[in-house]
Amino acid sequence: MTIRAVVKGIGHYLPERIVENAEFEARLDTSDEWIKARSGIERRHVAAEGQTTSDLATRAALAALADAGMQPDDLDAIILATSTADLTFPAAATMVQANLGMTRGFAFDVQAVCAGFVFALANANGMILSGQAKRVMVIGAETFSRLMDWTDRSTCVLFGDGAGALILQAEDGSGTNTDRGVLASDLNSDGRHRDLLYVDGGVSTGTTGHLRMQGRDVFRHAVEKLAQTAHAALDKVGLTGGDVNWIVPHQANLRIITATAQRMQVPMERVVVTVQDHGNTSAASIPLALSVGRDRGQIKPGDLIVTEAIGGGLAWGAVVLRW
Ligand SMILES: CC(C)(COP(=O)(O)OP(=O)(O)OC[C@H]1O[C@@H](n2cnc3c(N)ncnc32)[C@H](O)[C@@H]1OP(=O)(O)O)[C@@H](O)C(=O)NCCC(=O)NCCS
């Protein structure tokens, strides 16, 4: 008998305010056509003034709990993937824990930028397999709008705010790749590329800072590394792109998503795409896409799913799971 971390519930939350590409045309030298053609993005949600990452995460967490039919104290742990925690510390996960009224267990943040949800999911799986926790909520939540330089057309049109959450529970499996739950993961980082995508603020500067990106270089790394990591994770359990029902990729750029699917020889009909409506919501993008994909009726129980993401660090990775 093998223990598996099986998805028991999922939910998401998007802030009310939607910013269409056209809004940028008024104040920047850009166009709806350029943004759509180069990134696939048409609109993004932006948090209201005073609405924090932990607020978004709490809304997504409540939706996931309702979906699973669970109470907050049924959870043993909350792992929140974010690069935009409300404060430098404590972890935004502890704020979510308090907001939910959860009085037991533990909560902490994972910071691997856009790959954060994949890293958090792999960690949650490890905790369940080692017996440290039976039920873990994994959240991705971000307010990247707070990190934008709104005068920089090469970055500010690309990002958005949002949150998604899923609940994993320990269940018995057979130990084969037909089991439901997390089957494999592959995590990587290479700090030599840290200057390609970073925020020029933090404790060392005494400012929050703004996101800075060398888009063309990040694009090149993404196209190469995402298919590699997805294949590496699939290989670990004897599966290939042909076995995949859905790629649920990090939603940064439609051209990266398409190129990765091509390299994996998976047709676009089997890729969950939300980037047109959400923009790049960093660590929130995969749980948002999983939740929307489930709500659309795309993702069904038993489906084999590959998630893959890359972001600042560079950090990248993939998780293979059966829904
Ligand atoms: C950012 C990105 C969309 C730019 O697309 P691109 O095709 O690589 O475009 P380039 O960077 O080569 O820029 C082409 C031109 O468009 C211009 N441009 C940049 N942003 C623009 C905008 N919003 N509107 C109009 N023109 C823009 C550039 O200034 C450049 O002009 P130049 O040739 O006169 O210098 C693309 O590089 C990308 O998606 N990179 C990966 C980003 C990403 O996913 N990051 C997150 C990973 S988690």
Side-chain angles (χ1 to χ4, degrees):
M1 207 70 93
T2 308
I3 296 179
R4 294 291 190 192
V6 178
V7 177
K8 302 309 282 185
I10 187 148
H12 69 270
Y13 174 74
L14 289 157
E16 268 173 41
R17 181 163 139 70
I18 296 173
V19 176
E20 301 284 343
N21 286 349
E23 268 198 47
F24 290 106
E25 289 178 350
R27 52 191 162 92
L28 287 172
D29 182 13
T30 190
S31 64
D32 176 41
E33 290 73 31
W34 191 95
I35 301 168
K36 267 203 297 232
R38 305 315 293 160
S39 73
I41 298 165
E42 297 173 30
R43 59 193 65 82
R44 73 286 295 140
H45 292 249
V46 173
E49 209 180 318
Q51 197 177 29
T52 64
T53 292
S54 70
D55 294 334
L56 272 49
T58 302
R59 300 284 287 261
L62 286 168
L65 283 166
D67 188 50
M70 291 181 194
Q71 300 301 315
D73 277 342
D74 293 334
L75 301 173
D76 298 317
I78 296 174
I79 306 180
L80 171 51
T82 189
S83 303
T84 48
D86 305 17
L87 299 173
T88 304
F89 75 77
T94 59
M95 300 178 184
V96 176
Q97 184 187 27
N99 290 348
L100 294 177
M102 179 180 160
T103 55
R104 57 180 298 278
F106 57 95
F108 63 96
D109 291 355
V110 162
Q111 212 271 47
V113 204
C114 295
F117 188 78
V118 166
F119 277 58
L121 201 53
N123 272 282
N125 183 49
M127 285 190 166
I128 287 175
L129 298 196
S130 68
Q132 232 169 82
K134 281 200 160 47
R135 284 174 172 173
V136 181
M137 166 116 65
V138 190
I139 309 174
E142 302 280 15
T143 46
F144 259 52
S145 61
R146 305 257 152 73
L147 297 178
M148 290 302 114
D149 173 351
W150 293 104
T151 64
D152 177 8
R153 67 177 182 172
S154 73
T155 53
C156 74
V157 301
L158 301 175
F159 293 87
D161 301 336
L166 68 74
I167 297 171
L168 294 174
Q169 177 174 293
E171 288 188 358
D172 289 334
S174 65
T176 69
N177 64 23
T178 61
D179 284 345
R180 292 185 65 197
V182 177
L183 299 175
S185 60
D186 179 66
L187 305 181
N188 312 270
S189 65
D190 187 345
R192 289 175 301 176
H193 302 304
R194 63 190 180 279
D195 292 341
L196 295 186
L197 176 51
Y198 66 100
V199 172
D200 61 2
V203 174
S204 63
T205 62
T207 60
T208 305
H210 292 121
L211 181 145
R212 305 296 177 199
M213 177 170 72
Q214 295 181 36
R216 223 172 298 184
D217 291 329
V218 174
F219 191 96
R220 196 169 45 79
H221 281 285
V223 168
E224 175 197 314
K225 291 182 165 61
L226 288 172
Q228 254 170 24
T229 186
H231 278 137
L234 285 165
D235 272 353
K236 290 183 185 179
V237 280
L239 295 167
T240 67
D243 299 306
V244 172
N245 295 106
W246 294 102
I247 301 179
V248 183
H250 171 48
Q251 311 280 325
N253 183 310
L254 187 58
R255 291 185 297 141
I256 296 175
I257 293 172
T258 309
T260 305
Q262 257 165 14
R263 285 183 176 222
M264 292 181 66
Q265 297 184 309
V266 173
M268 283 305 286
E269 300 77 62
R270 289 198 270 131
V271 182
V272 176
V273 180
T274 56
V275 69
Q276 69 282 3
D277 295 327
H278 301 166
N280 182 347
T281 58
S282 192
S285 92
I286 289 176
L288 266 166
L290 284 169
S291 184
V292 169
R294 196 281 307 265
D295 291 353
R296 282 179 188 158
Q298 293 176 306
I299 298 172
K300 297 192 181 66
D303 281 355
L304 186 77
I305 292 169
V306 180
T307 65
E308 31 87 347
I310 187 166
L314 295 174
W316 68 101
V319 170
V320 177
L321 72 144
R322 196 174 293 284
W323 198 255

